[in-house]
Amino acid sequence: MEPVNYAQEGLVFDIQRFSVNDGPGIRTIVFLNGCPLRCQWCANPESQLLRPVVMFNDLECIHCGICKTVCKQGAISPNNKGLIDRTKCIGCGECSIACPAGALVMKGKKMTVEEVIRELKKDGSQYRRSGGGLTISGGEPLVQHEFTLELLKAAHAQGWNTAIETTGFADEEIIKKVLPHVDLSLTDVKSMDSKTHEEFTGVPNEKILKNVKLISEITNIMVRVPVIPGVNEKKEDILKIAEFAKTLNQQNLMGINLLPYHSMGENKYKMLGRDYKLHGLQMMNRDDINVLREQVERTGIPCKVG
Ligand code: SF4
Ligand code: SF4
């Protein structure tokens, strides 16, 4: 067993217990800040920066003006109480501490590996009974690769299953260092067309596809495809991804997981003072998704939806 640095710090923006969709058994998902991609459908936009961000919920605001008085950066407009100028905000969190209505919430908190493991231990017996454990998500967990690595080692030291949800956009050396400590990598493949990939995520796909192959050589991999109308919802788009999945190490390929587009993250963009580029995009209907699932299954690869 490798030694674990329990004092290693990371920036965590959420911890969700009792998940059953992000790896085997009952799991806790630890969400980390920082992501090099900017997927237009991202449901966790609060995760993207590698620093704490403040979210403002105007429905909760009682317009007391306290936030404006405590902000040393002058980031809160005198005319729009609670409305934050993001170019001035440094994410110090003073406003959220002072807000009496809970209208300002910080996302991103420094935690040590020891503190996260203490939280996870609350469900240790559930993990053991169900074969579950820890899933690290984000953001992109490999941005904070030192923290991710220590957290994975610490989870294994407890005998828990480990998984990560990754974009695959990281340096090869980091993948080679971290992935041997992962029991299942839930790895996104969003489009086989690099131009489309760059248009909708901000980065081309070549590095990702190379890393997906590498991951499949190291550990179990589930290829995850967020199915987005106008991006990759056509049969040929999904079949190209299935063809690519056939080039991976088949011993480790668990299947393809189609994740139909949803707009549940849209309100978060408003709370961050950002535009949601996919506003008004229709969700896919179940029949269309099932057609895609059947297409994938015909290639011999197990496929599930959602
Ligand atoms: S997080 Fe800090 S800098 Fe940002 S608006 Fe609140 S008090 Fe001002
Ligand atoms: S402190 Fe909270 S409730 Fe008061 S104006 Fe600011 S955001 Fe609104």
Side-chain angles (χ1 to χ4, degrees):
M1 195 78 67
E2 282 189 51
V4 179
N5 177 8
Y6 285 93
Q8 176 73 47
E9 281 187 336
L11 202 56
V12 176
F13 77 87
D14 205 0
I15 295 181
Q16 287 177 11
R17 297 166 68 191
F18 305 115
S19 165
V20 289
N21 295 317
D22 301 274
I26 294 168
R27 317 188 67 81
T28 297
I29 314 179
V30 177
F31 292 88
L32 305 188
N33 290 74
C35 185
L37 275 64
R38 292 292 178 268
C39 303
Q40 292 186 8
W41 52 87
C42 178
N44 292 329
E46 73 275 36
S47 72
Q48 291 173 345
L49 297 180
L50 190 51
R51 67 166 175 80
V53 291
V54 60
M55 299 181 84
F56 169 57
N57 184 350
D58 61 350
L59 296 177
E60 300 290 339
C61 177
I62 55 171
H63 306 288
C64 65
I66 291 172
C67 51
K68 184 173 84 71
T69 63
V70 299
C71 178
K72 295 184 183 72
Q73 305 302 316
I76 296 179
S77 160
N79 300 322
N80 299 290
K81 288 171 190 164
L83 197 65
I84 295 151
D85 180 344
R86 304 280 165 176
T87 62
K88 292 183 182 166
C89 174
I90 57 165
C92 70
E94 291 299 326
C95 57
S96 77
I97 293 166
C99 175
L104 292 160
V105 176
M106 291 307 294
K107 288 290 179 178
K109 179 183 163 194
K110 264 191 189 168
M111 292 182 82
T112 62
V113 168
E114 186 180 5
E115 286 168 333
V116 176
I117 292 293
R118 202 179 304 140
E119 189 65 24
L120 297 177
K121 275 183 177 170
K122 291 177 186 167
D123 300 309
S125 57
Q126 304 271 17
Y127 306 153
R128 281 188 203 95
R129 247 199 310 274
S130 67
L134 163 70
T135 298
I136 309 180
S137 184
E140 165 51 63
L142 297 175
V143 167
Q144 298 190 57
H145 56 94
E146 285 153 341
F147 182 66
T148 292
L149 176 62
E150 297 305 322
L151 202 48
L152 291 165
K153 287 195 292 184
H156 269 170
Q158 297 291 328
W160 303 332
N161 181 276
T162 63
I164 63 168
E165 294 181 332
T166 179
T167 65
F169 193 85
D171 290 345
E172 194 179 313
E173 289 316 304
I174 292 174
I175 301 233
K176 284 181 177 166
K177 212 160 89 182
V178 175
L179 269 292
H181 300 273
V182 173
D183 297 316
L184 173 64
S185 179
L186 303 155
T187 312
D188 279 7
V189 176
K190 291 157 177 137
S191 173
M192 293 305 293
D193 182 84
S194 194
K195 279 209 174 94
T196 304
H197 198 283
E198 187 162 11
E199 183 185 346
F200 288 95
T201 72
V203 302
N205 68 4
E206 286 81 3
K207 181 174 179 172
I208 290 171
L209 297 181
K210 201 166 159 229
N211 282 338
V212 174
K213 286 194 180 196
L214 176 61
I215 291 171
S216 80
E217 294 299 331
I218 299 173
T219 191
N220 294 318
I221 182 168
M222 173 69 82
V223 171
R224 278 188 156 181
V225 186
V227 184
I228 316 295
V231 180
N232 62 358
E233 88 287 17
K234 296 197 182 75
K235 274 189 232 170
E236 53 267 34
D237 299 321
I238 301 301
L239 281 175
K240 278 184 195 158
I241 293 174
E243 278 162 29
F244 169 72
K246 289 215 139 195
T247 70
L248 304 177
N249 180 352
Q250 298 300 295
Q251 301 219 306
N252 286 340
L253 178 66
M254 312 300 285
I256 290 181
N257 186 190
L258 301 177
L259 304 170
Y261 168 74
H262 63 76
S263 57
M264 285 188 293
E266 181 164 357
N267 195 42
K268 291 182 179 177
Y269 286 78
K270 192 176 164 213
M271 293 167 84
L272 291 164
R274 288 173 53 182
D275 290 333
Y276 183 65
K277 291 191 179 150
L278 300 186
H279 176 71
L281 190 67
Q282 293 295 306
M283 292 206 254
M284 290 188 71
N285 74 47
R286 199 78 196 172
D287 289 347
D288 291 341
I289 279 283
N290 280 331
V291 169
L292 297 178
R293 178 180 52 74
E294 284 163 16
Q295 292 284 326
V296 173
E297 284 172 345
R298 268 185 221 130
T299 69
I301 299 173
C303 184
K304 67 169 187 159
V305 173

